[in-house]
Amino acid sequence: MPTPGLCEGYLLKRRKWPLKGWHKRYFVLEAGILRYSKSQHDVSRGRVQGSLDISQAVMSINKKSNRIDLDAGDILYHMKAKNHELFYIWVTKLQAHRLYKKNEAVQVQSGFLQPLSFSPIALTVTDAQKPPSVNTAVNSKVSAWLQQSHAPETCAQELNRCHLDLSELNRLIQRLQALETSQVVSNGDLQRIISIQVKTCFVLIAALATRKYRASISRAPNSVAPKSTGQRTKLPALCPDNSHVGLMAILYNNIGKDLARVSMPAALNEPVNLLQRLCEELEYSELLDTAANTPDPYHRMVYIAAFAISGYSTATFRNRYKPVNPVLGETYECIQEDRGFKLISEQVCHHPPISACHAESDNFCFWQDQRWKNKFWGKSLEIIPTGMVNVTLPKYGDHYEWNKVVTCIHNVFSQQRYLEHYGEVTIQNLSSRVCTCKITFVKSRYWGSETNKNEVQGTVLDESGSVIHRFGGLWHEGIFCDTLPTPKCVWKPNHLLYYGFSSFAMEMNELRPELEPFLPPSDSRLRPDQRMLEDGLVDEADRKKDEIEELQRLRRKELSKKGEEHVPRFFKKTKDQCGRDVWVTKGTYWDLRENPGFASLENVKLCQIKI
C-alpha cells in the first residue's frame, strides 16, 4: 500500500484544561502520525505540542458541526474544521492514513512468527513452564512474581475463575500468522508488536491475581482496621467477574453520545447508586467540623478545600464498576450519629438525570444537585458534572460554593485502564470576599512519570489576589499544607476494600433491622436488584433491574397520558444567586419521618417487590 500524501493545515482543537474552549492549532498528518503545534512556524522549527498514532485511535465524526474526535486511550483529541470542504478532506486523509498504518502493522516477514508457535502454557501453583520464544524473559518475570506473591493458590483460583489460560495467546499468534503477506517489515518492528501482545496477557494475569491477593491482605487479622462505628466491615459477596460482559459492543454503538440514556448490565454495577455516592462525599465531614471551629478565615478555607478534594479520593480504585442509576423518585437517607450529620437525597429528574441531596449537622449544612453527562469517545469515557456544591458554616455565617471537575476513564477496554480528574475548582465564600480558593487537578501527560499522576495543587488568595496559603498532594493519597502556623498533612484517606469501597462506603447500602421500619419504600436500600448484586446474585439482579426500569417507563407513560409531570417529593426547583436552576430541600423529610411516619403515608411504588 503506497504511503498516503501529507496533509497539513489549521484546525480548531478543543482544550479542557487549563484554558477551556476551541483554539486554533496547526496540524500535520504524515505516515499515519498526527502532530500539532500552535503555528506553521512552530512546526518548521520542530516545536510539537502533541502527537497521536492514527492507527491506535478510534475516530468518530459529526458532519453537522464539522467535528472529528480521535480517542487513542491515553490521548483524546477533539477537532473542528472551519467548513465542510475542509472537514471532508481531513476525514478522507485520516481514514487513508489509518488504513496505511494498520496495513503496515500486519506486513510480516515469511516464517518470522514460526518460533512463536508453541503449545498453550500451563500455569500451576508451583511453576510456570517457559515457552521457547523471544518472550522467555517475560515468562521469567511472571514466574518470579508468582513466587514472591506468597499466595500462589490465590493466583490459581483467579486464573481458573476468569478462564484466562494462555491458549488464547496461542490462538492469537495463529491468527497473526494467517495475515502474512509477501511484503516485508523490519524484524524489530514486528517483534515489538508481538511482544506487546504477549506481555499484555501476562500483565492481565498478574493484575487479576494481585488484586485478589491485595484484597486478602487487607482482610488479614493483622491489617490496620478503620475506627469501629458499629457498622459492617465487609460485604456479603466479593466483586463479580464481569469479563464476559460485551461492553465493547454496548459502547461502540454509542460513541459520542450521552450514556445516561443507555441501559447497562447489572454485572457492570457496584452495589451503591448515585444517591449514595453523593453521601460518600461526606466521608471526611470532620474537615467541615474542623473548619467550623477555625477562627482564621484563610486557615478555614484550607479545610474547606481539603474537603472538596476528599470527595474524589476513592475514584481511582473504582473504575471497573459504575454506580447503579436511581429511578425517578428514588430516595436515600443516611443518619451518621458518630459523625453528627444526617442526609436525604432524591432523584428529582430522569431526563436529564439529576440527583439532589441535603445534609445538616450542628456545625455545617451541605447540599448540591448534580447532573452527569457520560460521553464515550472510542477508548475513553468522560464523566462531566454540572451543578454546584454548597456548604454553610452557621457559626461564621459563611456560605461556600464550588464546581466539580471532569473525570475521564482512559483505556476502557484495556487492563491498563486508569482514571483521572482534571480541571480547576474555584471556591467562593458568597457571604464574604475576604478570601477565595483555586484548586487545580493537574491533567497527566502520557509521557509523564507515575509520580505526576493524580496531582492536585491549590492556593488560598486574599481579596487583592495575593497568595496566603499553598497546599498540594495527590487526590487519592492526601493533602499537605506547609504555610499553616504548623505545616501538616491536612487530610489523608482511609484504606479501601471490596469494589474499592472504603469502610464508610460499605455502610451506604447496609439495611439494619432497627432502621427499616422508618424508611420510605423509595429508599435505595430497599431496591431488590441492588441488594441481589451486593449478595453476588448478578443474573437475578439483571432481571430485577429490567423489571424496575420497565415499571419506571410505565409510570412515565401514565403521567404523560394525564398531562402531568413527576413532582419530586422532598426537593424543589428554585434559582440561586446567579440565576441558575438548582434543587434545594423542602425541609419536610425528617418531619414526615417522625410524624406520622412513612408507613402511614401514601408512597409511590418504585419496585414491585422488596426483600
Side-chain angles (χ1 to χ4, degrees):
M1 182 177 181
T3 304
L6 180 75
C7 184
E8 59 182 318
Y10 282 102
L11 292 171
L12 293 177
K13 181 178 180 295
R14 184 184 171 198
R15 296 188 68 181
K16 301 174 187 176
W17 178 88
L19 300 175
K20 296 180 181 179
W22 295 90
H23 298 257
K24 191 176 180 182
R25 294 292 181 263
Y26 196 84
F27 284 85
V28 177
L29 178 60
E30 184 177 15
I33 303 297
L34 181 67
R35 301 178 178 87
Y36 77 92
S37 300
K38 283 189 176 181
S39 65
Q40 187 175 10
H41 179 67
D42 285 350
V43 171
S44 63
R45 299 188 64 178
R47 295 178 179 174
V48 178
Q49 286 192 299
S51 64
L52 181 146
D53 185 342
I54 298 300
S55 67
Q56 301 300 316
V58 174
M59 182 171 72
S60 56
I61 61 175
N62 187 318
K63 295 180 181 179
K64 289 185 178 180
S65 60
N66 296 328
R67 176 166 167 168
I68 304 169
D69 300 298
L70 295 171
D71 185 357
D74 287 332
I75 315 168
L76 182 58
Y77 286 177
H78 302 294
M79 305 174 296
K80 280 202 300 190
K82 65 180 181 180
N83 55 56
H84 187 67
E85 288 73 22
L86 192 59
F87 166 77
Y88 177 78
I89 291 172
W90 274 100
V91 169
T92 305
K93 285 290 187 180
L94 285 166
Q95 289 174 338
H97 280 259
R98 289 183 79 235
L99 288 173
Y100 168 75
K101 287 288 287 184
K102 288 182 178 292
N103 184 67
E104 184 184 58
V106 299
Q107 291 176 9
V108 295
Q109 192 171 24
S110 179
F112 177 77
L113 284 174
Q114 194 63 34
L116 288 175
S117 183
F118 51 85
S119 301
I121 309 168
L123 280 178
T124 69
V125 297
T126 58
D127 191 19
Q129 298 174 359
K130 302 176 183 179
S133 73
V134 294
N135 297 287
T136 301
V138 178
N139 291 289
S140 299
K141 291 179 181 179
V142 174
S143 298
W145 172 82
L146 287 170
Q147 295 170 4
Q148 294 169 5
S149 70
H150 305 298
E153 69 284 351
T154 302
C155 305
Q157 291 168 6
E158 193 75 14
L159 290 173
N160 291 333
R161 186 175 69 84
C162 297
H163 307 291
L164 289 174
D165 65 56
L166 293 184
S167 60
E168 291 296 326
L169 177 58
N170 198 46
R171 286 196 288 271
L172 168 66
I173 292 171
Q174 291 172 357
R175 287 200 299 271
L176 289 174
Q177 281 180 314
L179 294 174
E180 292 184 17
T181 69
S182 59
Q183 295 171 299
V184 177
V185 295
S186 70
N187 286 4
D189 286 345
L190 186 59
Q191 183 171 345
R192 186 175 70 254
I193 294 169
I194 303 304
S195 178
I196 289 172
Q197 300 290 351
V198 176
K199 289 179 181 179
T200 299
C201 288
F202 286 121
V203 168
L204 178 61
I205 295 167
L208 287 168
T210 299
R211 176 175 59 80
K212 189 76 171 286
Y213 176 62
R214 286 177 177 171
S216 66
I217 289 295
S218 67
R219 297 191 299 273
N222 60 350
S223 61
V224 178
K227 179 183 177 182
S228 175
T229 60
Q231 310 287 355
R232 64 180 179 180
T233 57
K234 64 179 183 179
L235 297 183
L238 292 173
C239 317
D241 171 32
N242 57 15
S243 60
H244 64 284
V245 178
L247 182 60
M248 184 177 293
I250 296 171
L251 293 181
Y252 268 106
N253 290 329
N254 295 280
I255 293 178
K257 298 178 182 178
D258 185 359
L259 296 181
R261 294 174 177 265
V262 180
S263 180
M264 298 287 185
L268 297 177
N269 291 336
E270 60 183 19
V272 298
N273 67 23
L274 288 170
L275 299 178
Q276 294 164 318
R277 286 289 284 266
L278 291 179
C279 183
E280 281 189 61
E281 294 183 25
L282 284 166
E283 176 168 6
Y284 302 99
S285 60
E286 64 269 15
L287 291 167
L288 297 181
D289 294 328
T290 303
N293 291 285
T294 302
D296 183 275
Y298 305 106
H299 191 172
R300 191 159 63 241
M301 182 65 87
V302 172
Y303 286 105
I304 296 295
F307 173 78
I309 295 169
S310 70
Y312 297 93
S313 61
T314 63
T316 190
F317 303 101
R318 293 167 73 169
N319 57 32
R320 287 189 60 214
Y321 302 88
K322 59 174 280 295
V324 175
N325 292 329
V327 295
L328 186 62
E330 187 170 340
T331 63
Y332 177 72
E333 75 161 56
C334 181
I335 301 175
Q336 291 284 323
E337 295 179 356
D338 57 315
R339 301 170 190 266
F341 73 80
K342 57 183 180 181
L343 170 139
I344 171 62
S345 55
E346 181 178 4
Q347 190 71 5
V348 297
C349 187
H350 187 62
H351 289 309
I354 302 176
S355 305
C357 73
H358 182 93
E360 55 192 51
S361 78
D362 293 338
N363 292 324
F364 65 84
C365 190
F366 166 92
W367 73 94
Q368 62 174 313
D369 62 87
Q370 288 298 325
R371 309 157 178 84
W372 291 273
K373 286 186 177 181
N374 304 308
K375 291 290 185 72
F376 175 65
W377 299 109
K379 290 188 177 181
S380 303
L381 177 65
E382 277 189 326
I383 303 166
I384 308 166
T386 59
M388 308 296 284
V389 184
N390 294 266
V391 167
T392 58
L393 304 180
K395 184 176 181 178
Y396 302 107
D398 291 339
H399 179 179
Y400 299 97
E401 179 188 75
W402 64 87
N403 61 293
K404 290 188 172 181
V405 296
V406 173
T407 298
C408 186
I409 303 174
H410 296 278
N411 300 320
V412 172
F413 305 116
S414 168
Q415 290 302 311
Q416 284 74 45
R417 182 189 309 167
Y418 69 95
L419 178 149
E420 69 171 336
H421 308 291
Y422 46 77
E424 191 169 271
V425 174
T426 301
I427 305 178
Q428 295 181 331
N429 186 346
L430 303 183
S431 302
S432 171
R433 296 184 179 180
V434 171
C435 63
T436 57
C437 179
K438 291 188 177 180
I439 308 170
T440 299
F441 286 75
V442 180
K443 184 172 173 55
S444 62
R445 300 292 183 181
Y446 68 93
W447 59 81
S449 65
E450 288 293 324
T451 57
N452 293 330
K453 287 188 176 180
N454 301 351
E455 185 179 355
V456 61
Q457 304 166 356
T459 54
V460 176
L461 311 171
D462 65 12
E463 196 168 356
S464 66
S466 300
V467 176
I468 305 300
H469 289 300
R470 285 190 176 90
F471 55 87
L474 303 176
W475 49 257
H476 71 299
E477 288 189 357
I479 300 299
F480 186 85
C481 182
D482 60 359
T483 56
L484 294 174
T486 303
K488 63 178 178 178
C489 179
V490 180
W491 162 78
K492 187 174 178 65
N494 296 327
H495 76 288
L496 305 160
L497 300 171
Y498 304 77
Y499 290 89
F501 287 4
S502 65
S503 55
F504 182 72
M506 278 194 289
E507 299 174 12
M508 293 295 99
N509 204 47
E510 183 178 8
L511 184 58
R512 303 192 305 278
E514 67 273 16
L515 175 64
E516 187 172 2
F518 297 97
L519 297 176
S522 57
D523 194 274
S524 300
R525 277 166 288 220
L526 301 177
R527 277 191 62 161
D529 59 333
Q530 193 166 309
R531 184 64 56 192
M532 290 170 178
L533 181 62
E534 185 179 89
D535 291 336
L537 306 174
V538 180
D539 293 339
E540 293 87 339
D542 219 356
R543 289 192 290 271
K544 185 55 62 178
K545 170 179 169 290
D546 291 340
E547 289 181 17
I548 293 172
E549 290 176 349
E550 180 60 27
L551 191 60
Q552 179 177 227
R553 284 188 283 270
L554 291 175
R555 285 200 310 273
R556 285 206 307 271
K557 288 180 181 178
E558 289 298 320
L559 287 174
S560 180
K561 287 179 181 178
K562 297 176 183 177
E564 300 175 357
E565 292 184 353
H566 173 79
V567 178
R569 192 173 185 183
F570 306 112
F571 287 80
K572 61 183 179 181
K573 184 190 285 189
T574 184
K575 299 283 186 182
D576 66 7
Q577 295 182 3
C578 298
R580 296 173 298 220
D581 287 337
V582 294
W583 290 86
V584 298
T585 179
K586 294 179 181 178
T588 58
Y589 182 88
W590 302 108
D591 291 338
L592 291 173
R593 184 183 191 271
E594 183 176 351
N595 185 22
F598 292 114
S600 303
L601 297 172
E602 183 178 350
N603 299 288
V604 177
K605 191 176 182 181
L606 300 182
C607 306
Q608 291 183 339
I609 62 168
K610 71 180 182 68
I611 54 174

PDB file of all heavy atoms in Angstrom, residues 333 342 518 588-598 600-601:
ATOM      1  N   GLU A 333     -31.737   8.013  52.651  1.00  0.00           N
ATOM      2  CA  GLU A 333     -31.441   8.753  53.871  1.00  0.00           C
ATOM      3  C   GLU A 333     -30.224   8.140  54.551  1.00  0.00           C
ATOM      4  O   GLU A 333     -29.960   6.944  54.434  1.00  0.00           O
ATOM      5  CB  GLU A 333     -32.625   8.740  54.837  1.00  0.00           C
ATOM      6  CG  GLU A 333     -32.822   7.406  55.563  1.00  0.00           C
ATOM      7  CD  GLU A 333     -33.667   7.542  56.813  1.00  0.00           C
ATOM      8  OE1 GLU A 333     -34.813   8.033  56.716  1.00  0.00           O
ATOM      9  OE2 GLU A 333     -33.198   7.124  57.899  1.00  0.00           O
ATOM     10  N   LYS A 342     -27.007  14.153  59.309  1.00  0.00           N
ATOM     11  CA  LYS A 342     -28.000  13.323  58.635  1.00  0.00           C
ATOM     12  C   LYS A 342     -28.224  13.895  57.250  1.00  0.00           C
ATOM     13  O   LYS A 342     -28.129  15.109  57.029  1.00  0.00           O
ATOM     14  CB  LYS A 342     -29.306  13.277  59.427  1.00  0.00           C
ATOM     15  CG  LYS A 342     -29.951  14.624  59.718  1.00  0.00           C
ATOM     16  CD  LYS A 342     -31.190  14.454  60.573  1.00  0.00           C
ATOM     17  CE  LYS A 342     -31.843  15.805  60.879  1.00  0.00           C
ATOM     18  NZ  LYS A 342     -33.043  15.651  61.743  1.00  0.00           N
ATOM     19  N   PHE A 518     -38.455   2.727  59.562  1.00  0.00           N
ATOM     20  CA  PHE A 518     -38.549   4.182  59.420  1.00  0.00           C
ATOM     21  C   PHE A 518     -38.338   4.667  57.988  1.00  0.00           C
ATOM     22  O   PHE A 518     -38.559   5.844  57.700  1.00  0.00           O
ATOM     23  CB  PHE A 518     -37.516   4.852  60.332  1.00  0.00           C
ATOM     24  CG  PHE A 518     -37.742   4.600  61.794  1.00  0.00           C
ATOM     25  CD1 PHE A 518     -37.046   3.601  62.455  1.00  0.00           C
ATOM     26  CD2 PHE A 518     -38.665   5.347  62.516  1.00  0.00           C
ATOM     27  CE1 PHE A 518     -37.243   3.358  63.803  1.00  0.00           C
ATOM     28  CE2 PHE A 518     -38.881   5.120  63.860  1.00  0.00           C
ATOM     29  CZ  PHE A 518     -38.173   4.112  64.513  1.00  0.00           C
ATOM     30  N   THR A 588     -38.999  18.890  54.542  1.00  0.00           N
ATOM     31  CA  THR A 588     -40.139  18.137  55.076  1.00  0.00           C
ATOM     32  C   THR A 588     -39.795  16.691  55.430  1.00  0.00           C
ATOM     33  O   THR A 588     -40.575  16.037  56.134  1.00  0.00           O
ATOM     34  CB  THR A 588     -41.285  18.114  54.043  1.00  0.00           C
ATOM     35  OG1 THR A 588     -40.788  17.524  52.816  1.00  0.00           O
ATOM     36  CG2 THR A 588     -41.779  19.520  53.749  1.00  0.00           C
ATOM     37  N   TYR A 589     -38.662  16.174  54.928  1.00  0.00           N
ATOM     38  CA  TYR A 589     -38.390  14.740  55.064  1.00  0.00           C
ATOM     39  C   TYR A 589     -38.359  14.287  56.515  1.00  0.00           C
ATOM     40  O   TYR A 589     -39.066  13.346  56.909  1.00  0.00           O
ATOM     41  CB  TYR A 589     -37.076  14.382  54.374  1.00  0.00           C
ATOM     42  CG  TYR A 589     -36.749  12.899  54.443  1.00  0.00           C
ATOM     43  CD1 TYR A 589     -37.222  12.030  53.467  1.00  0.00           C
ATOM     44  CD2 TYR A 589     -35.995  12.376  55.490  1.00  0.00           C
ATOM     45  CE1 TYR A 589     -36.948  10.669  53.536  1.00  0.00           C
ATOM     46  CE2 TYR A 589     -35.715  11.020  55.566  1.00  0.00           C
ATOM     47  CZ  TYR A 589     -36.186  10.168  54.581  1.00  0.00           C
ATOM     48  OH  TYR A 589     -35.914   8.820  54.654  1.00  0.00           O
ATOM     49  N   TRP A 590     -37.548  14.934  57.320  1.00  0.00           N
ATOM     50  CA  TRP A 590     -37.348  14.466  58.684  1.00  0.00           C
ATOM     51  C   TRP A 590     -38.600  14.654  59.552  1.00  0.00           C
ATOM     52  O   TRP A 590     -38.873  13.840  60.440  1.00  0.00           O
ATOM     53  CB  TRP A 590     -36.141  15.159  59.315  1.00  0.00           C
ATOM     54  CG  TRP A 590     -34.890  14.923  58.512  1.00  0.00           C
ATOM     55  CD1 TRP A 590     -34.218  15.819  57.739  1.00  0.00           C
ATOM     56  CD2 TRP A 590     -34.194  13.683  58.387  1.00  0.00           C
ATOM     57  NE1 TRP A 590     -33.139  15.231  57.136  1.00  0.00           N
ATOM     58  CE2 TRP A 590     -33.092  13.914  57.508  1.00  0.00           C
ATOM     59  CE3 TRP A 590     -34.372  12.402  58.917  1.00  0.00           C
ATOM     60  CZ2 TRP A 590     -32.194  12.913  57.166  1.00  0.00           C
ATOM     61  CZ3 TRP A 590     -33.472  11.403  58.571  1.00  0.00           C
ATOM     62  CH2 TRP A 590     -32.405  11.653  57.707  1.00  0.00           C
ATOM     63  N   ASP A 591     -39.387  15.690  59.245  1.00  0.00           N
ATOM     64  CA  ASP A 591     -40.636  15.886  59.982  1.00  0.00           C
ATOM     65  C   ASP A 591     -41.633  14.778  59.659  1.00  0.00           C
ATOM     66  O   ASP A 591     -42.292  14.226  60.559  1.00  0.00           O
ATOM     67  CB  ASP A 591     -41.253  17.244  59.635  1.00  0.00           C
ATOM     68  CG  ASP A 591     -40.420  18.410  60.182  1.00  0.00           C
ATOM     69  OD1 ASP A 591     -39.656  18.180  61.146  1.00  0.00           O
ATOM     70  OD2 ASP A 591     -40.531  19.523  59.647  1.00  0.00           O
ATOM     71  N   LEU A 592     -41.757  14.432  58.363  1.00  0.00           N
ATOM     72  CA  LEU A 592     -42.675  13.363  57.966  1.00  0.00           C
ATOM     73  C   LEU A 592     -42.209  12.012  58.494  1.00  0.00           C
ATOM     74  O   LEU A 592     -43.030  11.153  58.840  1.00  0.00           O
ATOM     75  CB  LEU A 592     -42.791  13.307  56.438  1.00  0.00           C
ATOM     76  CG  LEU A 592     -43.505  14.485  55.770  1.00  0.00           C
ATOM     77  CD1 LEU A 592     -43.402  14.370  54.261  1.00  0.00           C
ATOM     78  CD2 LEU A 592     -44.974  14.539  56.204  1.00  0.00           C
ATOM     79  N   ARG A 593     -40.918  11.833  58.544  1.00  0.00           N
ATOM     80  CA  ARG A 593     -40.361  10.578  59.049  1.00  0.00           C
ATOM     81  C   ARG A 593     -40.765  10.361  60.511  1.00  0.00           C
ATOM     82  O   ARG A 593     -41.068   9.241  60.937  1.00  0.00           O
ATOM     83  CB  ARG A 593     -38.837  10.599  58.910  1.00  0.00           C
ATOM     84  CG  ARG A 593     -38.115   9.311  59.306  1.00  0.00           C
ATOM     85  CD  ARG A 593     -36.613   9.548  59.183  1.00  0.00           C
ATOM     86  NE  ARG A 593     -35.842   8.328  59.299  1.00  0.00           N
ATOM     87  CZ  ARG A 593     -35.392   7.818  60.448  1.00  0.00           C
ATOM     88  NH1 ARG A 593     -35.693   8.420  61.596  1.00  0.00           N
ATOM     89  NH2 ARG A 593     -34.664   6.706  60.457  1.00  0.00           N
ATOM     90  N   GLU A 594     -40.784  11.469  61.264  1.00  0.00           N
ATOM     91  CA  GLU A 594     -41.099  11.378  62.692  1.00  0.00           C
ATOM     92  C   GLU A 594     -42.597  11.311  62.938  1.00  0.00           C
ATOM     93  O   GLU A 594     -43.071  10.536  63.768  1.00  0.00           O
ATOM     94  CB  GLU A 594     -40.492  12.577  63.422  1.00  0.00           C
ATOM     95  CG  GLU A 594     -40.706  12.544  64.929  1.00  0.00           C
ATOM     96  CD  GLU A 594     -40.016  13.696  65.633  1.00  0.00           C
ATOM     97  OE1 GLU A 594     -39.235  14.429  64.979  1.00  0.00           O
ATOM     98  OE2 GLU A 594     -40.248  13.874  66.851  1.00  0.00           O
ATOM     99  N   ASN A 595     -43.360  12.093  62.193  1.00  0.00           N
ATOM    100  CA  ASN A 595     -44.801  12.159  62.419  1.00  0.00           C
ATOM    101  C   ASN A 595     -45.503  12.545  61.115  1.00  0.00           C
ATOM    102  O   ASN A 595     -45.235  13.625  60.575  1.00  0.00           O
ATOM    103  CB  ASN A 595     -45.118  13.177  63.516  1.00  0.00           C
ATOM    104  CG  ASN A 595     -46.588  13.201  63.887  1.00  0.00           C
ATOM    105  OD1 ASN A 595     -47.306  12.230  63.658  1.00  0.00           O
ATOM    106  ND2 ASN A 595     -47.034  14.309  64.447  1.00  0.00           N
ATOM    107  N   PRO A 596     -46.292  11.704  60.513  1.00  0.00           N
ATOM    108  CA  PRO A 596     -46.845  10.455  61.072  1.00  0.00           C
ATOM    109  C   PRO A 596     -46.007   9.212  60.774  1.00  0.00           C
ATOM    110  O   PRO A 596     -46.409   8.113  61.172  1.00  0.00           O
ATOM    111  CB  PRO A 596     -48.194  10.365  60.343  1.00  0.00           C
ATOM    112  CG  PRO A 596     -47.911  10.946  58.996  1.00  0.00           C
ATOM    113  CD  PRO A 596     -46.934  12.068  59.230  1.00  0.00           C
ATOM    114  N   GLY A 597     -44.906   9.352  60.056  1.00  0.00           N
ATOM    115  CA  GLY A 597     -44.129   8.180  59.652  1.00  0.00           C
ATOM    116  C   GLY A 597     -44.517   7.764  58.248  1.00  0.00           C
ATOM    117  O   GLY A 597     -45.683   7.896  57.842  1.00  0.00           O
ATOM    118  N   PHE A 598     -43.549   7.288  57.476  1.00  0.00           N
ATOM    119  CA  PHE A 598     -43.822   6.972  56.068  1.00  0.00           C
ATOM    120  C   PHE A 598     -44.766   5.787  55.913  1.00  0.00           C
ATOM    121  O   PHE A 598     -45.459   5.671  54.893  1.00  0.00           O
ATOM    122  CB  PHE A 598     -42.504   6.696  55.334  1.00  0.00           C
ATOM    123  CG  PHE A 598     -41.637   7.916  55.202  1.00  0.00           C
ATOM    124  CD1 PHE A 598     -40.420   7.991  55.848  1.00  0.00           C
ATOM    125  CD2 PHE A 598     -42.059   9.007  54.459  1.00  0.00           C
ATOM    126  CE1 PHE A 598     -39.610   9.122  55.740  1.00  0.00           C
ATOM    127  CE2 PHE A 598     -41.272  10.138  54.338  1.00  0.00           C
ATOM    128  CZ  PHE A 598     -40.051  10.203  54.989  1.00  0.00           C
ATOM    129  N   SER A 600     -47.426   5.426  57.343  1.00  0.00           N
ATOM    130  CA  SER A 600     -48.793   5.949  57.437  1.00  0.00           C
ATOM    131  C   SER A 600     -49.144   6.856  56.269  1.00  0.00           C
ATOM    132  O   SER A 600     -50.248   7.413  56.226  1.00  0.00           O
ATOM    133  CB  SER A 600     -48.962   6.727  58.752  1.00  0.00           C
ATOM    134  OG  SER A 600     -48.646   5.919  59.869  1.00  0.00           O
ATOM    135  N   LEU A 601     -48.216   7.024  55.328  1.00  0.00           N
ATOM    136  CA  LEU A 601     -48.429   7.925  54.191  1.00  0.00           C
ATOM    137  C   LEU A 601     -48.578   7.134  52.899  1.00  0.00           C
ATOM    138  O   LEU A 601     -48.186   5.963  52.812  1.00  0.00           O
ATOM    139  CB  LEU A 601     -47.247   8.895  54.066  1.00  0.00           C
ATOM    140  CG  LEU A 601     -47.018   9.853  55.237  1.00  0.00           C
ATOM    141  CD1 LEU A 601     -45.712  10.607  55.057  1.00  0.00           C
ATOM    142  CD2 LEU A 601     -48.187  10.830  55.353  1.00  0.00           C
TER     143      LEU A 601
END
